[in-house]
């Protein structure tokens, strides 16, 4: 049959393509709509005292540096009313920008869309940014404000969380990972911040827990508010989950910027350096005045820290948790260092379970990113008591011991005053591999304090003595003179030098310069088995 016959198919008229001007206008309109968000949802967010996801990114990143990815992403789920609403971005803004000119990757959950809940598309966007961060060797920052898994999507939402957790572990020790909690972070979502290096929280608006107040009330009958259960102060002082706690989003994000500005971008590149400040010739007479020679008198180790580091400036890690140990990032002669110090002003500076965990995690972070360690020692031992023993002080204390033994970065120990028993060993002693051990003339290194040692060694003699107090005093003096004098450990090569306190900063700076090219490779193995 001829194609020109009566049965020929009718051709549809071809539509003329829209002009480039029209296409551009349409795109601009859509983009503007996405960037503005729904006005009523934005107002509700602000009524809660919270900024929008994009406003937070404006505070965090350098101006006009943000490159967004997947801005038009929408979920593909169906059923249970989920298909009735398919907003662009799917509740998370993701991409890359700079902080002080240095590249970072970031995602910010958008509570104005589905309550920031995580579905398959939402998770895929986060996965993409995490992969980009790892491949580029740049820090990853997550701004968390989410109602949790998107119930309407079911198992795919849980699978999305699993992908996030796996990527956190893959990136651990390779790039710095920072979580910022600016709203709810509940259920399985809380494991994401727990796997990162630093967690920031904002008072009143941030909350993080595995099981919410309603479930707790129904299961145990216990009544507790969201803030009492998982607020910023709870995690900053009791659980140790929050590294930093702030009163508002502005100061919180400003501190995130500062932290990123001093950290190395990854484990293969050094941290930014500041100009040297002649620290190797810097005498600090006040150091000789801060620490009392009387071992029973407390003082603030942070005052010693401020005299040793550049300009007296440092960023304290976990400032309000496990306060009997101080951990801080600072600079000495322009180079980034990590400082660990016992705090005699709290519990006499003893090591307990929280302090051991806090210091161990910090030591491992510094070692992973090639940040030298300076350890300021004034420790009477581990905290005694059935509570500590039953809760596993042996295992938890071993975490700190393991961390120091494993560390390959330059390590300098400064024994400020007392260093007794196993706690002396754990605090980066010569025996566990410190590169340089220094001591002040006030140092006392021993298995026990003189009084305790005498009570054990001369128990029978003291029990039989007519003047027990006098005999005990004489024996304590003899024990101290023979076994605990300032040069005792130095004479045996366990301390490299006994130094004038005023020259601590200078000697530490020289030691760091000496160790700058240190190279020590770990033995080949899959991984060690840290006593978790």
């Amino acid at each position: 049959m001829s194609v020109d016959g009566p049965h020929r198919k009718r051709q549809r008229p071809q539509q003329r393509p829209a002009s480039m001007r029209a296409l551009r206008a349409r795109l601009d309109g859509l983009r503007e709509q996405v960037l503005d968000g729904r006005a009523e949802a934005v107002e509700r967010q602000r009524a809660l005292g919270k900024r929008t996801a994009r406003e937070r990114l404006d505070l965090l990143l350098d101006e006009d540096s943000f490159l967004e990815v997947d801005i038009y992403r929408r979920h593909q789920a169906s059923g249970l009313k989920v298909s009735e609403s398919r907003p662009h971005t799917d509740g998370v803004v993701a991409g890359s920008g700079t902080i002080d000119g240095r590249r970072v990757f970031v995602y910010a959950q958008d509570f104005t869309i589905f309550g920031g809940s995580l579905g398959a598309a939402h998770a895929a966007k986060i996965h993409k940014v995490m992969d980009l961060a790892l491949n580029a060797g740049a820090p990853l920052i997550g701004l968390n404000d989410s109602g949790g898994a998107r119930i309407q999507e079911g198992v795919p939402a849980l699978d999305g969380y699993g992908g996030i957790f796996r990527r956190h572990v893959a990136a651990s020790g390779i790039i710095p990972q920072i979580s910022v909690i600016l709203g709810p972070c509940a259920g399985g979502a809380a494991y994401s911040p727990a796997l990162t290096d630093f967690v920031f929280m904002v008072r009143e608006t941030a909350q993080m827990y595995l099981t919410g107040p309603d479930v707790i009330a129904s299961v145990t009958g216990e009544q507790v508010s969201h803030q009492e259960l998982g607020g910023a102060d709870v995690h900053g002082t009791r659980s140790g989950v929050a590294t930093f706690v702030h009163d508002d989003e502005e100061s919180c994000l400003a501190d995130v910027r500062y932290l990123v500005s001093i950290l190395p971008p990854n484990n293969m590149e050094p941290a930014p350096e500041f100009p040297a400040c002649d620290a190797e010739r810097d005498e600090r007479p006040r150091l000789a005045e801060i620490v009392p020679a009387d071992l029973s008198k407390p003082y603030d180790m942070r005052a010693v820290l401020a005299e040793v580091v550049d300009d007296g400036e440092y960023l304290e890690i976990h400032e309000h948790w496990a306060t009997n140990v101080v951990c801080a990032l600072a600079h000495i002669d322009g180079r980034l260092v990590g400082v660990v110090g016992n705090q005699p002003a709290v519990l006499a500076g003893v090591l307990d379970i929280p302090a051991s965990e806090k210091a161990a995690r910090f030591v491992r972070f510094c070692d992973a990113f090639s940040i030298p360690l300076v350890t300021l020692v004034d420790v009477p031992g581990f905290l005694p008591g059935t509570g500590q023993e039953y809760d596993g002080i042996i295992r938890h204390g071993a975490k700190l011991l393991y961390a120091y033994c494993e560390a390959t970065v330059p390590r300098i120990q400064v024994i400020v005053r007392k260093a007794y028993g196993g706690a002396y060993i754990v605090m980066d002693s010569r025996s566990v591999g410190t590169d340089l051990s220094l001591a002040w003339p006030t140092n006392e290194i021993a298995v026990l304090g003189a009084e305790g040692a005498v009570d054990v060694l001369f128990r029978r003699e003291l029990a039989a003595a007519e003047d027990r107090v006098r005999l005990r005093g004489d024996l304590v003096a003899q024990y101290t003179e023979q076994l605990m004098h300032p040069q005792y450990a130095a004479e045996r090569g366990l301390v490299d030098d006994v130094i004038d306190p005023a020259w601590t900063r200078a000697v530490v700076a020289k030691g760091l310069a000496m160790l700058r090219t240190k190279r020590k490779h770990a033995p080949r193995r899959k991984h060690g088995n840290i006593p978790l």
Side-chain angles (χ1 to χ4, degrees), residues 37 74 76 120 439 452 508:
R74 304 165 79 183
Q76 306 300 314
V508 168

Side-chain angles (χ1 to χ4, degrees), residues 156-404:
L158 299 180
D159 180 68
Y161 275 125
I164 292 172
F165 303 157
R166 176 168 56 84
R167 286 169 171 83
H168 277 312
V169 174
S172 182
I174 299 177
I175 57 173
Q177 300 183 82
I178 299 171
S179 295
V180 188
I181 316 301
L182 301 166
C185 183
Y191 283 119
S192 174
L195 290 169
T196 59
D197 300 306
F198 301 97
V199 177
F200 290 75
M201 292 187 74
V202 174
R203 290 186 174 93
E204 302 303 327
T205 56
Q207 50 202 245
M208 187 164 37
Y209 41 69
L210 292 178
T211 308
D214 294 339
V215 176
I216 289 176
S218 66
V219 174
T220 69
E222 184 181 3
Q223 299 295 324
V224 62
S225 70
H226 290 279
Q227 287 299 316
E228 291 170 336
L229 178 62
D233 286 319
V234 169
H235 288 305
T237 61
R238 299 187 64 177
S239 73
V241 172
T243 320
F244 303 99
V245 174
H246 290 272
D247 291 327
D248 53 68
E249 294 187 9
E250 292 80 3
S251 62
C252 177
L253 294 173
D255 259 14
V256 174
R257 283 180 59 89
Y258 175 72
L259 176 60
V260 170
S261 74
I262 65 174
L263 291 178
N266 54 63
N267 67 329
M268 301 298 289
E269 298 182 54
E273 291 188 10
F274 294 93
C277 46
D278 205 21
E280 295 184 19
R281 294 189 292 179
D282 193 352
E283 182 181 11
R284 296 296 179 95
R286 187 167 177 269
L287 279 170
E289 303 169 0
I290 293 172
V291 180
D294 185 345
L295 301 184
S296 63
K297 291 185 177 180
Y299 63 93
D300 191 343
M301 184 61 84
R302 288 174 296 189
V304 176
L305 170 60
E307 289 294 321
V308 172
V309 302
D310 295 350
D311 302 318
E313 295 181 358
Y314 56 89
L315 179 63
E316 188 167 354
I317 309 300
H318 288 295
E319 179 180 359
H320 303 293
W321 176 61
T323 53
N324 44 321
V325 69
V326 175
C327 298
L329 292 168
H331 293 86
I332 295 180
D333 216 15
R335 300 185 188 120
L336 184 66
V337 297
V339 182
V340 179
N342 307 110
Q343 175 56 291
V346 180
L347 297 175
V350 297
L351 288 175
D352 58 3
I353 291 172
S356 299
E357 292 186 329
K358 170 180 170 178
R361 183 167 177 80
F362 181 68
V363 167
R364 286 173 65 83
F365 173 81
C366 291
D367 187 54
F369 291 97
S370 301
I371 301 171
L373 286 161
V374 177
T375 304
L376 306 175
V377 183
D378 190 345
V379 61
F382 283 93
L383 182 64
T386 56
Q388 289 287 301
E389 296 293 346
Y390 294 165
D391 289 340
I393 183 63
I394 296 172
R395 175 168 49 88
H396 294 290
K399 293 176 184 178
L400 181 54
L401 177 60
Y402 191 106
Y404 270 124

